[in-house]
Structures are given as C-alpha cells and as structure tokens.
Amino acid sequence: MGEIEGSYRVLQTPGTRLGAQFNAGISTLEPGQSLSANMATGAKSHGRGLQIRVLGLDDSQEFFDIEPKAFGQALLSEVFQRGNLIESDYFGLEFQNMQMNWVWLEPTKPIIKQVRRPTNTLFRLSVKFFPPDPGQLQEEYTRYLFSLQMKRDLMEGRLTCTENTGALLASHLVQSEIGDYDDMADRDFLRVNKLLPYQDRVLEKILDLHRRHMGQTPAESDFQVLEIARKLEMYGVRFHPAADREGTKINLAVAHMGLQVFQGNTKINTFNWSKIRKLSFKRKRFLIKLHPEVHGPHQDTLEFLMASRDQCKIFWKNCVEHHSFFRLFDQPQPKSKAILFTRGSSFRYSGRTQKQLVEYVRDSGAKRTPYQRCVFLCTCNVVISSTGSAMDSPQLSPFVTKSPLCLSPSFQMSTLSLPGQAPSPLQSPILSEVGSNARLEEEEEGRRKRYPTDKAYFIAKEILTTERTYLKDLEVITVWFRSAVIKENAMPEGLMTLLFSNIDPIYEFHRGFLKEIDQRLALWEGRSNAHVKGDYQRIGDVMLRNMSALKEFTSYLQKHDEVLTELEKATKRLKKLETVYKEFELQKVCYLPLNTFLLKPIQRLMHYKLILERLCKHYSPAHRDHDDCKGEILHLICQWSSKLQSSLIRLENFQKLTELQRDLIGIENLTTPGREFIREGCLYKLTKKGLQQRMFFLFSDMLLYTSKGVTATNQFKVHGQLPLHGMIVEESENEWSVPHCFTIYSAQRTIVVAASSKVEMGKWIEDLNMAIDMAKKSTVYPFPPHNFLPLPLPTSFLLPSSGSSDEVSLEQESEDDMHSSRTSLDKQTHHRANTTMHVCWHRNTSVSMSDHSLAVENQLSGYLLRKFKNSNGWQKLWVVFTNFCLFFYKTHQDDFPLASLPLLGYTVCTPEESDSIHKEYVFKLQFKSHVYFFRAESEYTFERWMEVIKSAASTTGRMSLLIPKGPMEINGN
C-alpha cells in the first residue's frame, strides 16, 4: 500500500537547467546510484536503440534514439534539451497504457518496464503541473507552450466553459496564430483548424472578438489565453473516475491546492493539502485521511472506489507529485530500499519543486536562445523549418491556403498595453529581465517620440494608474470577499445588504469612470487620430462630468462608519464569519488588512483633491482645463472631504484598533469607545537578562508592551499594560549609560527602555508626554515617583543595532517568496505579514497614527523598471505604493502581488557614481545591504515616486505630527 505521510525529509539539490552543456534535467536517484551507471544519458545507439516518437504541443512530431534499457529520465532530458526548455519541471511525457488511459512516463524507471512496445507508442509532451497563476511562469516560451496546452484541452473537451468564454479564448488563439483580424483569412483558418468542439455555432462571435485584438502581439495573446483559462473551474483538471461509498459516480482530480471531487463537470468538494493528513490506496480503494478537526475523530477517513488497483495507483502517484511540487521547499529524499522486505511504495516525486524552479530560473541568469513561433501568412504551400530548409507542409498541418512562417519571438513584440496602444517599455506583461539593454534603449527612444511630454499628461496618467489600483481594491470586497462569505453562507442577510448595497454602486460608478479616463488618455497619447484636432489634450472635462455624478454617492460614503462597526460586531458574534474573515485575510488577494479596503472610497476623495490641486498649480489661468479643475470640481471635492474628514479619522482609528485586536494575544476589548491609537514600534526593555526586544503600543489611555509569540500566526503576546494616569517619562541615558535610554514611571511599575536612535527616542517621549497630558483631563492617580526603585543593571550588555537578526529572513520572505510553499501537509499558513507592526519589529522603528493618516494621501501606482544591485537587466513591473510598502505585479490586471517590499527604515536617493547607473529618472532604495534601483518614465513620475517613498521610508520623513485634541474629541463625542 502506498501512502503520503504528513511530512518529508528533504534533500538539497541545486539543479541546473535542462538544455545546458550537460544533462542535469530532473534527478532523484536512489542512494548509491549514479546517473552514468544506472540511467542512460541519451547517447545514440543506432541500429540497436529504441526510436521513440514524441508529439509536441504544436502537433509536430520528432524522433529520439534511446538506449534499450534507458530510464524515463533519458528521454525526458533529450526532449527538454532539444526544445531548450528551461522551466521543464512543469512538463512531462504522457502515453496511453493498455487500458487506454493517459499516464505519465516515470523518470526513475526503465522505459521498457513502463511501455510494452515503446517504438509503437506515441508519447506526447504535455503540461503536468498547472500553477494557480500562469504569471509565475517566467519564460515567454513556457507561456507559449501553456497556451498550446489550453488549445489542446479546449479541443479535447477537457477545458469546459461557456460558449462565450470559449469564443473569447479561440479569438486570442487566432490572434496568436495569424495576427490581426482579416475576415477572409480568419474564415479560412477557422475552416481548417478546429479550436472548439462547437466552433461552427460561435464562429461569428470569434470573428467579432478577434476584431477587437488589433495590434496584440503573439506573446500578449498567450498571456490573455492563460489569464482567462486560469479562472475557469476546469483549468488543469484531469478526471479520474471513481465512486463514493454510496456508489455514486464521481470524478477525482488533483491540483495545486489539493484534491477535488466532481460530479459530472461540477465541483462538489475540495480537500486542501492543509486538511489532509495522509493519502493511501489499498487495492481499488483510494483513502483520504483528514485531520481530526476537519470532520471530527469518527469521520476522518474518506474512501473512494476506483475501477482497478492500477488506476488507484496512477491517481495516488499524481497526488504525491502535485503535493511535492507545489507544497515542498525542496524535492523529497528517495525512500531507501529495504534489504529483505518492502512495505508500501517507494515512489517519490523526482523533480525540482516549484519554489526551487522559480528560484533557479530567477537567480541563475539562465536564458534560453530565441525560439521560433509559427505565424500563418497567405503564401504558397511551403513550410520553413526551424533550420531554414523547405519541407512538405502536409506533415505539420492540413492548412493549404496559408503556411506557417517561423519567426523569432521578438517579431512585432510590444509590451502590454490596451489594444491599439503604442508600445511602452514600462508596460510589459512579462516578469522577466530584459535580455538586451540596446533593445530597451531602442524601445524607450521610440516611446519618447510617440508619447506626450506635457506634465499635465503625466498628472492625468496618475489619475488613471491610481484609479486602476483603486478599482482592484474595491474588487477585494465586491468580488472576492463576497464570494468567500456566500460560499460558506457565513454572513447574515441584513449585513450582506448593508455592506454590498453601499459598495456595489460605488464600484460600478468607478468602472465607468476608469473606462472614460482610459479612453481620454488613449486619445491624448495618439492611439487614434482624434488628437490631431487638439480637442483631447486635457482631463478637466472628464473629471468635471464624473465628479458631478459622484455627488449622488456621498450618502453611501456616510454609511461606511455603520458598515465597519456592524461587520466587526458580527465577526465577534458569529464563529463561522470570524473564520471566513480570518482565512480570507490570509489569501494573496487580500494584501492589506481586510477592513482597510472598506476605507478606500473615502480616501479616494482625498486623492482626487490632491491630484486636482497639482493640476491646477501646473495650468495657467488661461488654460481651458484650469476652470474645469479649479472651479466646480475642486469646490465639490473639498466640500465632501471636509464633511467626511471627521468620519475618516474615526474610521481609521477604529480600523487600526480592530487590526491590533487580531494581532495581540492577552488583551480584550481593545476597541473600547474613546480609545485612540497613537504609536506602535520597537523598543528594548531592560530585564534581568539585559535589553530584550519588545513591541510597544501607545494608546490614549494606556501603554502596552509585548513580545513576538511563537504561535503559528506570529501574533504578539501582551506582557504589560500600563495606564497613562499619573505616568512620568524621563530621559535616563546618563543614569544607565545606555544610548537613547528613557525611564517610564507608572502606578504599577517602572520600566527602562532604549530606542534605536535619538530621533526614535524623541518621538516616543513626545507622544508619551502628549498622551499623558490628555489623560490628566480625567481622574488623576496620586503618583509618588520616589516610591519606585530602579532595576538592577547587568554588569555588561550591548544595545542591539538597528535591525534585528531576523532582518535577512524578513527581506527574503517579502522580496523573494513569490510562490511560497509549505514543508509539510499539516503546517499552517503564514500569518499575514501585511501589517506595519511586523515590519516595525524587524526594522527597529515605529509608526504613529499621524504617519498612517498621512500615508493615505501618499498612494501611487504605475509601471517602473526595477534592477537589483548585482543584476544587469531591468524588470518591467506594475508597482503599487500603499501602507508604507511597495507591492510588485506583472501587470495592472493581476489580482494579487507577486512580492512586496516594506519601506520603513529604507533610504531613498539618486544613484551614486559607484553604482554605475547611467540612466535618467532612476532612484535608489537601500536598507543595509539590500539595494534596489527603480527607473521612472518621466521627470514628473520620478519626482512623485521620490516624494511618496520619502514620506514612508526615512525616519525624518515621518516625524511625529500628533496634534493635541480637546477633551470632547478625545472621548469620541
């Protein structure tokens, strides 16, 4: 009986890419084995060797000569090497067994023991592992092969979807194959090439959709195919027929997240890896053993009956491989063979894990040679092969009116843009380094000639880019969170109505607004000839029209207070809603604390105000846009902003308190009415063991200090709670001979703490004294400071330097862990690291509520080129700045960030001579040894990025701005 245990021992293997000067490929050898001794390396043995036929994803066939006793690895290595396929671990070779079921060729077993007649068997290259986000694929060639797999799955009926979606996918495939729309060419191509089983019914729909893809390059078409396909329920699904205990026919499937159960084509259940303790099979029975907390101790094993033991084992092996590939950090160690008796299967996944693969492709600098893509052109019946020789075309395609002309992938390559948009080097769908700086310079020069240079254009573009991010933020609530609560039936109907009836109309309005801004920028950039008339070099009329329409939504904005409060009450009252809420916050799409997204509509008004003020300052009074921007629009927005300002302050405070309530263990009712959050940050507290790192939280009525917990969720545990009534704070550097040291005397105890810098100490003392003064307005406790004895100081101790020993791991996690995987089945998901307290802990700094309020105004989005300290190429990324952090995406269309970079503690400046960066509009980010360079597209955008990052990164940029409030205001009245 085979089984997956809950954890694995792991084996570190560096691995090198397939297609290099030597064959490394996928390798897992039994102890004592060597590749040369036990597995054929693919050396040719003409006459006595096996000639094996392999069908590519493009339907071309190739033959490979393999030694008779060669292992599966030899053939895989040959196929991957000949195709120069770097990200090879996503792929495999499949063939039909005697029962006509498709099975995967195993690398560690001889081919002749897996296939009865290898020379008569057709092997086909196929995608084996489907990542949840195809954007994780770093090579354009890999994405091209994945799109061909989608094409195959569509035709074979595996990728089931609505006819409209099928037509959309087909239209992108046609664009990839033959280029821009041409009615006759389209009809000829679709008459000969069947992309859909029901193609004739949706032919006109395909043609209509293809017409809209004008100017879209093959690489963009592949990207769009994968973006659409990944959202389908049947994406990457391979059915394995079975029956449940009642005899009901079902289908089992395995995917990146775990096991899925289908009835027909409808998914009825999913068992995540985190819920599964063990997978096994016994004869025809496939067993899933769950953790007791999932279904209780008496229902922890699910049983499914399959047609045969072989089918059971095939599915079990698929599960083993999927779990290893997507969940483990390192490939599993081969099971050692027993000397006398064996029990269970020794099968293990034998390739790199996804994490290893991503790190290898990113860090090794391995770059494939340019591949050739077939583009169909109206010409004679000749096919140009990859070697440039002519060959008969019927072998490859029955299409006789056109023939494929193989071109380099750089043919008509542009970067991601809206249909018809001129290419810009800052708008690429591809998260990969640019291979040629010369090509990048050429593209940039072309962009400068095409695009406007007026400052007003870049201000208008900022409205567009930030609106894109804002709409995506609204979707976190309107689309993703709604889906989560509906799926679990976790939210009462009344709260559902209150929440979504308020935010849905706002979301729909901004969808239309974004479309209108985008159309105006398209005209401004010259994507149509309307700009010749000179009527569209402005944005004020669009803003005036839409801001006037936004007036009717102010009543919705005023209800946000009630929405936030009721949602928090419900999560405390309803266990199921609380669970859904917490689980949703752990999803990648929820890249900020969930209730932060509910504040976005009010905050967006502040952004409009700031951007319009910037635009008015730029325009002369005589400019036609000046009156539109400065007149009615600015008046309206200022009016709304002042009306909602007090609500926003109260909501931001409530949001912060609820966020801390979830992150702190040992305190209840943190959201007590009248309590205000003031500052959070890291200080070193003097203990018997010396100075110990602690996290402090200052409120309007108390001071908390905590240590970082060892729980699975990395929460902070409260150690002390000091009331502010009667508290005294004194500098005590001279007394203790510790830099930046001060003493806090309270009615309960005296504590000595040290800050990481003089500036940090000053901010804490200032805020503490101000909070103490405000607390005096209520009952004052008698406070005799002479009654407190100072703590004994250890004879010698060192104040830790700024930044803890965990800093490297934090940087690694935030910057490099793009596709995190877990090391075992039962390891819990990471606690969300998108809150400032965790960053303050690692960066040894603090953040005040004033900093948070100012950060609302300093949000920015747009494309940037990024370069690491020791890399040569630049990466084109969509970057979002919010909550003191940079979030990196491939494109603005992505649903969640691939990586993040918290900026607290960083410095930002222009590059130095020693950096050897000889480009315009480049700024440098640095924290200790971590260095990044970013390149903007214009002087305006460069200045804006510098401005907002300075506000978040440097300590001096976040000086304490706490303003004393009156007694009525502090009590929340």
Side-chain angles (χ1 to χ4, degrees), residues 259-262 266-271 295 302:
L259 271 65
Q260 301 170 324
V261 183
F262 289 81
T266 304
K267 184 162 63 177
I268 59 175
N269 211 339
T270 299
F271 298 101
H295 282 287
L302 303 176

Side-chain angles (χ1 to χ4, degrees), residues 424-439:
S424 163
L426 298 186
Q427 293 180 312
S428 169
I430 300 165
L431 185 65
S432 61
E433 290 191 8
V434 178
S436 168
N437 284 324
R439 179 182 164 194

Side-chain angles (χ1 to χ4, degrees), residues 663 695 708 713-716 810 831-843:
D663 280 343
M695 194 69 184
K708 191 169 185 179
T713 52
N714 289 328
Q715 291 166 294
F716 285 84
L810 171 83
H831 180 68
R832 55 193 170 94
N834 50 12
T835 56
T836 50
M837 67 160 63
H838 293 89
V839 183
C840 288
W841 174 265
H842 289 285
R843 301 280 167 80

Side-chain angles (χ1 to χ4, degrees), residues 15 116-117 121 123 129 246 272 282 498 517 525 693 703-704 723 769 774 815 896 902 925:
R116 177 166 292 187
R117 294 176 180 170
T121 300
F123 293 83
F129 301 113
E246 286 73 38
N272 291 331
K282 191 171 184 179
L498 175 65
I517 301 172
E525 291 165 354
Q693 187 178 5
L703 176 68
L704 297 181
N769 284 330
M774 289 190 290
E815 178 58 33
F896 54 83
L925 279 174

Side-chain angles (χ1 to χ4, degrees), residues 304-439:
F304 300 94
L305 190 67
M306 305 188 84
S308 66
R309 181 186 183 278
D310 285 346
Q311 289 191 22
C312 220
K313 188 172 184 179
I314 288 169
F315 182 58
W316 176 79
K317 286 182 177 179
N318 284 345
C319 294
V320 171
E321 293 185 309
H322 274 76
H323 171 261
S324 301
F325 183 76
F326 287 109
R327 298 278 288 183
L328 301 188
F329 287 113
D330 301 289
Q331 61 195 76
Q333 185 178 8
K335 188 174 181 180
S336 58
K337 290 188 175 181
I339 299 174
L340 296 176
F341 303 102
T342 61
R343 183 183 178 186
S345 173
S346 62
F347 177 80
R348 292 292 184 269
Y349 170 64
S350 59
R352 286 174 292 206
T353 65
Q354 188 188 33
K355 188 174 190 299
Q356 285 178 315
L357 178 60
V358 168
E359 288 175 349
Y360 172 72
V361 176
R362 185 188 63 230
D363 298 338
S364 68
K367 293 297 165 190
R368 68 181 317 278
T369 56
Y371 68 94
Q372 294 177 321
R373 177 194 292 268
C374 290
V375 180
F376 286 83
L377 302 171
C378 289
T379 181
C380 59
N381 189 22
V382 176
V383 176
I384 307 301
S385 73
S386 59
T387 58
S389 59
M391 59 194 304
D392 294 333
S393 60
Q395 181 183 355
L396 293 183
S397 171
F399 190 43
V400 295
T401 60
K402 295 182 180 181
S403 64
L405 177 64
C406 293
L407 300 171
S408 162
S410 61
F411 172 70
Q412 290 188 338
M413 277 293 119
S414 69
T415 52
L416 182 66
S417 57
L418 295 171
Q421 179 178 349
S424 163
L426 298 186
Q427 293 180 312
S428 169
I430 300 165
L431 185 65
S432 61
E433 290 191 8
V434 178
S436 168
N437 284 324
R439 179 182 164 194

